[in-house]
Amino acid sequence: HKEHRYIAISILCLLVAYSILYLFNNETITLLAQEDGFYETATAIWFLVTAIIFFYLFFKDTTGNNFFRLKFKKNVFFLLLGMLFVFGAGEEINWGQRILDLQTPESLKERNLQGQINIHNLKIFHGSYEHGERKTGFAKLLTAGRLFSIFWLVWCFILPILNKVNSKIAKWLRNMNMPIVAIWIGVLFVLNHLISKLAELTTSHNLLHYIVEIKEHNFGLLFFIVGLWFLANYRGKINFDKPHKA
């Protein structure tokens, strides 16, 4: 079955990405997974290509939306997703700061814990306080990493399952014409998260930062697969994963 091949190839890609933690020395791992290294650059590329796919789907869409009596001729979810992944690509490479040799504005440098041109390292969104202590509770919920996790978990995993098992939610999603990710892709997102946790337990503590970079790269790859899946299901209109009959 074609879907089984896609799943097998996707899992292989996830495992190969993590394999550098066990096959190479620290110097090579650092070279590949450091700031502006291979994995971070590849992540930005995955996000950018994914954004292009969603923009294309938005302009080609003929199904529109229906938000509580507000109707749109185009599916604005695709537009919002395209904008989101452009933002993700820009954030991943600090909006080209090192590529273009840009200086961080003083007003931003004071609020950014790493002195970079990005939003995810602003004090409110960073995973740690200025003195280095990790955030907990509600403060942790607002960190960029946690908000990103909530996004992929809800959109790629929880909603597809609810769409299959709950007729009321399925009807609500269908009425809004929200893009529903295939469940098997959502499972791959969860698998990537679990493999990263396993890697944290089976490698040295000084590799934790690189594990995060590899995990983010794999999420970027999986979102690209999401975009390809929607693109493959486009036939004159967007044919989403069929919802549970209401």
Side-chain angles (χ1 to χ4, degrees):
H1 195 280
K2 185 182 294 186
E3 187 175 287
H4 294 162
R5 292 202 301 270
Y6 293 152
I7 294 172
I9 293 172
S10 299
I11 293 176
L12 179 61
C13 290
L14 298 183
L15 295 176
V16 168
Y18 285 107
S19 67
I20 71 163
L21 299 169
Y22 306 95
L23 298 179
F24 299 108
N25 57 36
N26 285 2
E27 182 178 351
T28 303
I29 296 172
T30 300
L31 182 65
L32 291 171
Q34 65 183 346
E35 287 280 328
D36 288 336
F38 170 79
Y39 281 105
E40 190 171 78
T41 302
T43 303
I45 293 173
W46 293 131
F47 282 156
L48 182 59
V49 176
T50 303
I52 293 173
I53 292 174
F54 281 121
F55 284 138
Y56 172 81
L57 292 174
F58 170 72
F59 287 113
K60 285 291 185 178
D61 175 64
T62 59
T63 58
N65 299 111
N66 185 3
F67 295 106
F68 308 104
R69 298 182 181 180
L70 291 176
K71 295 184 178 181
F72 300 90
K73 293 182 178 180
K74 298 287 187 178
N75 192 328
V76 296
F77 282 114
F78 286 123
L79 176 62
L80 294 174
L81 287 167
M83 294 170 62
L84 177 64
F85 286 110
V86 165
F87 175 78
E91 284 287 297
E92 196 66 26
I93 58 172
N94 300 320
W95 300 97
Q97 180 173 14
R98 276 182 285 273
I99 298 173
L100 302 175
D101 194 25
L102 301 175
Q103 296 297 317
T104 306
E106 288 299 323
S107 58
L108 180 60
K109 185 181 295 186
E110 294 175 0
R111 296 174 174 82
N112 191 294
L113 291 183
Q114 295 189 10
Q116 300 171 331
I117 300 178
N118 60 49
I119 293 177
H120 69 272
N121 282 325
L122 293 178
K123 295 177 182 179
I124 187 174
F125 296 122
H126 199 276
S128 303
Y129 294 105
E130 294 180 72
H131 47 76
E133 181 184 353
R134 299 294 295 177
K135 291 181 178 178
T136 58
F138 183 73
K140 185 176 181 179
L141 185 64
L142 291 178
T143 61
R146 184 52 58 91
L147 291 173
F148 178 74
S149 296
I150 292 173
F151 169 69
W152 69 255
L153 182 63
V154 172
W155 184 51
C156 298
F157 187 68
I158 294 177
L159 281 182
I161 292 177
L162 292 177
N163 180 63
K164 288 291 186 182
V165 302
N166 189 297
S167 61
K168 291 183 178 180
I169 292 178
K171 182 178 180 180
W172 178 65
L173 295 173
R174 184 170 62 248
N175 288 339
M176 288 198 303
N177 201 17
M178 177 180 287
I180 303 298
V181 179
I183 291 179
W184 65 268
I185 301 179
V187 172
L188 292 176
F189 275 84
V190 176
L191 180 63
N192 180 47
H193 177 75
L194 294 177
I195 295 176
S196 73
K197 294 303 178 183
L198 180 62
E200 291 177 3
L201 296 175
T202 56
T203 57
S204 59
H205 181 73
N206 63 344
L207 295 178
L208 292 181
H209 172 72
Y210 304 128
I211 293 173
V212 172
E213 291 296 336
I214 296 172
K215 178 176 69 172
E216 290 178 354
H217 163 270
N218 286 347
F219 279 136
L221 172 61
L222 291 175
F223 276 121
F224 171 65
I225 293 174
V226 169
L228 288 182
W229 185 83
F230 282 119
L231 194 61
N233 282 274
Y234 182 82
R235 294 293 184 274
K237 66 176 184 178
I238 307 302
N239 299 315
F240 300 137
D241 191 29
K242 293 181 180 179
H244 187 283
K245 292 183 178 180

